Amino acid sequence: MDNIELKRFWEKVKEEYVGILPESVHPWIYSLEVSGYDKGVLTVVTGQAMARDWLRKYHSEQMNKTLKTITKNEAACIHIIYDENEARKMKKEVEKIHKKELELQQKEQAIENLSYMQSSSNLNLKYKFENFVVGENNKFAHSAALAVAKNPAQKYNPLFIYGKAGLGKTHLMQAIGHYTIFNNPKAKVKYTKTDDYINDFISNSRKSNDYVENMAKFNKKYTNIDIILIDDIQFIESKERTMERMQHTFDTLYNKGKQIVITSDRIPEEIPKLTDALKTRFEWGLMVELIPPEIETRIKILKNLAQNCGIEAEQAALKYIAENYDKNVRELEGAFTKVCAFAEMSEQKITLNLAQQILKCKPAEAVSFDSVAKITAEYLNVDVDDIKGTSRNQKVVKARQLIFYLCRELTNQSFESIGEYFNKKHTTAMYGHEQVKNKINASQELSNAVREIKQALKVIR
Ligand code: ADP
Ligand code: MG
């Protein structure tokens, strides 16, 4: 029997003893530590002389009998030794092992909880505080997010993070979620994109069966939580009933003392047709802005990326990439990933030469509605003026939908502004976007068109 087997064996025997012996002697049973088992003789040590004497005198017969049954050995017997020092030492050892086992168990449980919570709360594992590079541009937003993560619903509720696309709003918001789950695996964190919230609400309110029950389910889903993370609130646009529902979600959570975190690409004041009620609520807490990072921070971000990929990169190469991508961290990362892929494929490190060769910077210019319309119309051979007009010709309608789709995907602008630019209602833009989105995976023709137009727009190569 090795040490572990011996301890297990003793646990089993002890359990039996506790079952058969009177309660008054249980403390003595618990004082026994196993020291060995050899040829049927089970040796245990106690630090209390009374325990040895009493058990020997009044219970040894019963204890031996039980041991014989367990071991199926007629010669089995228990030998109780009194040795204060030895007992103390052994007790400590056992406690140490127990503690280790418990820690291991807790760790395993925590990891299990963590991955469950992380997947059920919709969080991206990459978006943690540890991976967020702090610079002059984001230090205020970062410390506000950290304060919220450490003390939810105390100071800054709601926390409203705003800034242009690709500057780390989603990352920072989700970092709060990860932090919370890690430190309190039982906390219920929910991350939701505003689009998903809207679709969920619409589909629930349209279901033909019990409206009240559906709404109750919907409410529970968004309010039976500790922290809600609502991403890209600018997309709430002018959907009145959804805004009413959002207000209800907000108030319920707020009144229950739960934390609300919101992101947006602009301040509440500039979100078209946002109800005053929501506007004021969004401004109740703290509003923090993310602006593009300065060069040092951009280089630091690239350094981290290189480190995480385990790829060697020349400082000059990182500097070159950072200098040329200064408005959007997503694009900065994209440029790096492209260079990294080439470096990996050709099994070389990232050098300035390679970066220059791959990126040939001039980075892609910002995509405008106008350029999307022109290139798409040309590609599909329709007149660009018809796109803004009222033509119901199938070819024009298809081109229009594709343009709405591309505008939304490539510029991240609201349907409201896309619709407005093309003289259409925002619902028309939204519908068009949805049509293409639903068909794109099934239609080779459509996905080719999207790829080629993107290439022409120079957003991909
Ligand atoms: P937004 O939600 O503002 O459009 P994201 O949070 O999606 O932007 O960020 C875009 C990408 O840039 C993500 O991959 C994110 O991890 C990365 N990123 C942004 N800011 C930082 C930062 N300060 N440190 C590290 N990565 C960042
Ligand atoms: Mg985002």
Side-chain angles (χ1 to χ4, degrees), residues 329-351:
V329 183
R330 190 176 294 119
E331 285 171 10
L332 179 74
E333 281 189 351
F336 175 83
T337 309
K338 208 185 272 177
V339 179
C340 188
F342 273 86
E344 268 175 354
M345 272 188 288
S346 52
E347 291 180 9
Q348 53 177 317
K349 65 176 187 177
I350 297 179
T351 60

mmCIF file of all heavy atoms in Angstrom, residues 329-351:
data_model
loop_
_atom_site.group_PDB
_atom_site.id
_atom_site.type_symbol
_atom_site.label_atom_id
_atom_site.label_comp_id
_atom_site.label_asym_id
_atom_site.label_seq_id
_atom_site.Cartn_x
_atom_site.Cartn_y
_atom_site.Cartn_z
ATOM 1 N N VAL A 329 -7.634 50.860 -33.850
ATOM 2 C CA VAL A 329 -6.811 49.748 -33.353
ATOM 3 C C VAL A 329 -7.138 48.449 -34.096
ATOM 4 O O VAL A 329 -6.272 47.607 -34.313
ATOM 5 C CB VAL A 329 -7.005 49.562 -31.830
ATOM 6 C CG1 VAL A 329 -6.107 48.450 -31.302
ATOM 7 C CG2 VAL A 329 -6.716 50.844 -31.092
ATOM 8 N N ARG A 330 -8.398 48.328 -34.513
ATOM 9 C CA ARG A 330 -8.766 47.111 -35.244
ATOM 10 C C ARG A 330 -7.955 47.029 -36.539
ATOM 11 O O ARG A 330 -7.445 45.977 -36.909
ATOM 12 C CB ARG A 330 -10.262 47.088 -35.543
ATOM 13 C CG ARG A 330 -10.707 45.739 -36.081
ATOM 14 C CD ARG A 330 -12.189 45.652 -36.302
ATOM 15 N NE ARG A 330 -12.926 45.734 -35.055
ATOM 16 C CZ ARG A 330 -13.800 46.671 -34.764
ATOM 17 N NH1 ARG A 330 -14.062 47.611 -35.633
ATOM 18 N NH2 ARG A 330 -14.420 46.675 -33.599
ATOM 19 N N GLU A 331 -7.844 48.171 -37.208
ATOM 20 C CA GLU A 331 -7.068 48.188 -38.457
ATOM 21 C C GLU A 331 -5.577 47.982 -38.183
ATOM 22 O O GLU A 331 -4.879 47.327 -38.952
ATOM 23 C CB GLU A 331 -7.304 49.511 -39.192
ATOM 24 C CG GLU A 331 -8.670 49.533 -39.852
ATOM 25 C CD GLU A 331 -9.038 50.888 -40.417
ATOM 26 O OE1 GLU A 331 -8.168 51.779 -40.478
ATOM 27 O OE2 GLU A 331 -10.216 51.054 -40.770
ATOM 28 N N LEU A 332 -5.121 48.547 -37.095
ATOM 29 C CA LEU A 332 -3.722 48.362 -36.693
ATOM 30 C C LEU A 332 -3.435 46.873 -36.500
ATOM 31 O O LEU A 332 -2.455 46.333 -37.012
ATOM 32 C CB LEU A 332 -3.486 49.127 -35.383
ATOM 33 C CG LEU A 332 -2.106 49.049 -34.759
ATOM 34 C CD1 LEU A 332 -1.123 49.887 -35.555
ATOM 35 C CD2 LEU A 332 -2.132 49.539 -33.310
ATOM 36 N N GLU A 333 -4.365 46.213 -35.784
ATOM 37 C CA GLU A 333 -4.216 44.772 -35.561
ATOM 38 C C GLU A 333 -4.287 44.001 -36.867
ATOM 39 O O GLU A 333 -3.535 43.053 -37.089
ATOM 40 C CB GLU A 333 -5.343 44.266 -34.657
ATOM 41 C CG GLU A 333 -5.130 44.545 -33.197
ATOM 42 C CD GLU A 333 -6.162 43.832 -32.338
ATOM 43 O OE1 GLU A 333 -7.130 43.257 -32.877
ATOM 44 O OE2 GLU A 333 -6.007 43.878 -31.122
ATOM 45 N N GLY A 334 -5.204 44.440 -37.741
ATOM 46 C CA GLY A 334 -5.379 43.778 -39.031
ATOM 47 C C GLY A 334 -4.096 43.828 -39.838
ATOM 48 O O GLY A 334 -3.675 42.824 -40.433
ATOM 49 N N ALA A 335 -3.465 45.006 -39.839
ATOM 50 C CA ALA A 335 -2.224 45.170 -40.604
ATOM 51 C C ALA A 335 -1.151 44.249 -40.034
ATOM 52 O O ALA A 335 -0.438 43.559 -40.769
ATOM 53 C CB ALA A 335 -1.776 46.624 -40.538
ATOM 54 N N PHE A 336 -1.080 44.215 -38.717
ATOM 55 C CA PHE A 336 -0.072 43.362 -38.073
ATOM 56 C C PHE A 336 -0.315 41.892 -38.422
ATOM 57 O O PHE A 336 0.612 41.151 -38.741
ATOM 58 C CB PHE A 336 -0.097 43.549 -36.550
ATOM 59 C CG PHE A 336 0.827 42.611 -35.848
ATOM 60 C CD1 PHE A 336 2.176 42.903 -35.726
ATOM 61 C CD2 PHE A 336 0.361 41.399 -35.342
ATOM 62 C CE1 PHE A 336 3.039 42.023 -35.105
ATOM 63 C CE2 PHE A 336 1.219 40.509 -34.730
ATOM 64 C CZ PHE A 336 2.562 40.822 -34.604
ATOM 65 N N THR A 337 -1.588 41.476 -38.331
ATOM 66 C CA THR A 337 -1.923 40.069 -38.582
ATOM 67 C C THR A 337 -1.511 39.671 -39.992
ATOM 68 O O THR A 337 -1.021 38.566 -40.228
ATOM 69 C CB THR A 337 -3.437 39.857 -38.397
ATOM 70 O OG1 THR A 337 -3.790 40.405 -37.136
ATOM 71 C CG2 THR A 337 -3.818 38.404 -38.424
ATOM 72 N N LYS A 338 -1.716 40.595 -40.926
ATOM 73 C CA LYS A 338 -1.372 40.316 -42.310
ATOM 74 C C LYS A 338 0.148 40.060 -42.421
ATOM 75 O O LYS A 338 0.582 39.065 -42.980
ATOM 76 C CB LYS A 338 -1.762 41.534 -43.153
ATOM 77 C CG LYS A 338 -2.094 41.152 -44.569
ATOM 78 C CD LYS A 338 -2.342 42.366 -45.389
ATOM 79 C CE LYS A 338 -3.754 42.874 -45.400
ATOM 80 N NZ LYS A 338 -3.903 44.094 -46.171
ATOM 81 N N VAL A 339 0.916 40.953 -41.832
ATOM 82 C CA VAL A 339 2.369 40.812 -41.895
ATOM 83 C C VAL A 339 2.804 39.531 -41.179
ATOM 84 O O VAL A 339 3.662 38.783 -41.651
ATOM 85 C CB VAL A 339 3.071 42.035 -41.261
ATOM 86 C CG1 VAL A 339 4.577 41.867 -41.316
ATOM 87 C CG2 VAL A 339 2.652 43.313 -41.963
ATOM 88 N N CYS A 340 2.166 39.302 -40.048
ATOM 89 C CA CYS A 340 2.494 38.133 -39.230
ATOM 90 C C CYS A 340 2.258 36.847 -40.028
ATOM 91 O O CYS A 340 3.086 35.930 -40.002
ATOM 92 C CB CYS A 340 1.610 38.167 -37.989
ATOM 93 S SG CYS A 340 2.035 36.955 -36.789
ATOM 94 N N ALA A 341 1.154 36.803 -40.749
ATOM 95 C CA ALA A 341 0.826 35.610 -41.530
ATOM 96 C C ALA A 341 1.905 35.342 -42.578
ATOM 97 O O ALA A 341 2.362 34.209 -42.747
ATOM 98 C CB ALA A 341 -0.533 35.776 -42.198
ATOM 99 N N PHE A 342 2.339 36.399 -43.241
ATOM 100 C CA PHE A 342 3.386 36.230 -44.260
ATOM 101 C C PHE A 342 4.692 35.770 -43.618
ATOM 102 O O PHE A 342 5.388 34.910 -44.150
ATOM 103 C CB PHE A 342 3.618 37.546 -45.016
ATOM 104 C CG PHE A 342 2.682 37.700 -46.178
ATOM 105 C CD1 PHE A 342 1.421 38.252 -46.006
ATOM 106 C CD2 PHE A 342 3.053 37.275 -47.437
ATOM 107 C CE1 PHE A 342 0.552 38.381 -47.073
ATOM 108 C CE2 PHE A 342 2.183 37.408 -48.511
ATOM 109 C CZ PHE A 342 0.931 37.963 -48.327
ATOM 110 N N ALA A 343 5.005 36.376 -42.478
ATOM 111 C CA ALA A 343 6.246 36.018 -41.793
ATOM 112 C C ALA A 343 6.216 34.546 -41.401
ATOM 113 O O ALA A 343 7.200 33.824 -41.593
ATOM 114 C CB ALA A 343 6.437 36.892 -40.564
ATOM 115 N N GLU A 344 5.075 34.108 -40.894
ATOM 116 C CA GLU A 344 4.966 32.713 -40.459
ATOM 117 C C GLU A 344 5.077 31.759 -41.636
ATOM 118 O O GLU A 344 5.770 30.750 -41.572
ATOM 119 C CB GLU A 344 3.641 32.512 -39.731
ATOM 120 C CG GLU A 344 3.808 32.718 -38.249
ATOM 121 C CD GLU A 344 2.500 32.660 -37.496
ATOM 122 O OE1 GLU A 344 1.432 32.575 -38.131
ATOM 123 O OE2 GLU A 344 2.563 32.738 -36.263
ATOM 124 N N MET A 345 4.386 32.116 -42.699
ATOM 125 C CA MET A 345 4.400 31.248 -43.877
ATOM 126 C C MET A 345 5.803 31.102 -44.450
ATOM 127 O O MET A 345 6.190 30.037 -44.889
ATOM 128 C CB MET A 345 3.463 31.794 -44.944
ATOM 129 C CG MET A 345 2.048 31.287 -44.761
ATOM 130 S SD MET A 345 1.034 31.735 -46.140
ATOM 131 C CE MET A 345 0.822 33.464 -45.924
ATOM 132 N N SER A 346 6.531 32.224 -44.420
ATOM 133 C CA SER A 346 7.861 32.154 -45.028
ATOM 134 C C SER A 346 8.939 31.906 -43.964
ATOM 135 O O SER A 346 10.130 32.038 -44.233
ATOM 136 C CB SER A 346 8.140 33.445 -45.789
ATOM 137 O OG SER A 346 7.903 34.547 -44.941
ATOM 138 N N GLU A 347 8.465 31.560 -42.772
ATOM 139 C CA GLU A 347 9.363 31.214 -41.658
ATOM 140 C C GLU A 347 10.479 32.228 -41.455
ATOM 141 O O GLU A 347 11.660 31.907 -41.420
ATOM 142 C CB GLU A 347 9.951 29.817 -41.869
ATOM 143 C CG GLU A 347 8.889 28.760 -41.734
ATOM 144 C CD GLU A 347 9.408 27.357 -41.930
ATOM 145 O OE1 GLU A 347 10.634 27.189 -42.009
ATOM 146 O OE2 GLU A 347 8.578 26.454 -41.993
ATOM 147 N N GLN A 348 10.096 33.481 -41.396
ATOM 148 C CA GLN A 348 11.081 34.506 -41.063
ATOM 149 C C GLN A 348 10.503 35.407 -39.975
ATOM 150 O O GLN A 348 9.330 35.317 -39.654
ATOM 151 C CB GLN A 348 11.426 35.325 -42.301
ATOM 152 C CG GLN A 348 10.199 35.899 -43.011
ATOM 153 C CD GLN A 348 10.581 36.764 -44.203
ATOM 154 O OE1 GLN A 348 11.500 37.548 -44.109
ATOM 155 N NE2 GLN A 348 9.870 36.637 -45.295
ATOM 156 N N LYS A 349 11.345 36.252 -39.398
ATOM 157 C CA LYS A 349 10.797 37.155 -38.390
ATOM 158 C C LYS A 349 10.206 38.384 -39.092
ATOM 159 O O LYS A 349 10.390 38.570 -40.300
ATOM 160 C CB LYS A 349 11.867 37.537 -37.373
ATOM 161 C CG LYS A 349 13.007 38.343 -37.912
ATOM 162 C CD LYS A 349 13.910 38.703 -36.737
ATOM 163 C CE LYS A 349 14.993 39.657 -37.188
ATOM 164 N NZ LYS A 349 15.848 40.103 -36.117
ATOM 165 N N ILE A 350 9.509 39.191 -38.317
ATOM 166 C CA ILE A 350 8.887 40.374 -38.912
ATOM 167 C C ILE A 350 9.934 41.485 -39.012
ATOM 168 O O ILE A 350 10.387 42.004 -37.990
ATOM 169 C CB ILE A 350 7.674 40.835 -38.079
ATOM 170 C CG1 ILE A 350 6.598 39.740 -38.085
ATOM 171 C CG2 ILE A 350 7.111 42.146 -38.603
ATOM 172 C CD1 ILE A 350 5.364 40.064 -37.290
ATOM 173 N N THR A 351 10.315 41.795 -40.229
ATOM 174 C CA THR A 351 11.318 42.850 -40.427
ATOM 175 C C THR A 351 10.644 44.062 -41.054
ATOM 176 O O THR A 351 9.537 43.955 -41.580
ATOM 177 C CB THR A 351 12.419 42.373 -41.382
ATOM 178 O OG1 THR A 351 11.784 42.040 -42.638
ATOM 179 C CG2 THR A 351 13.145 41.165 -40.860
#
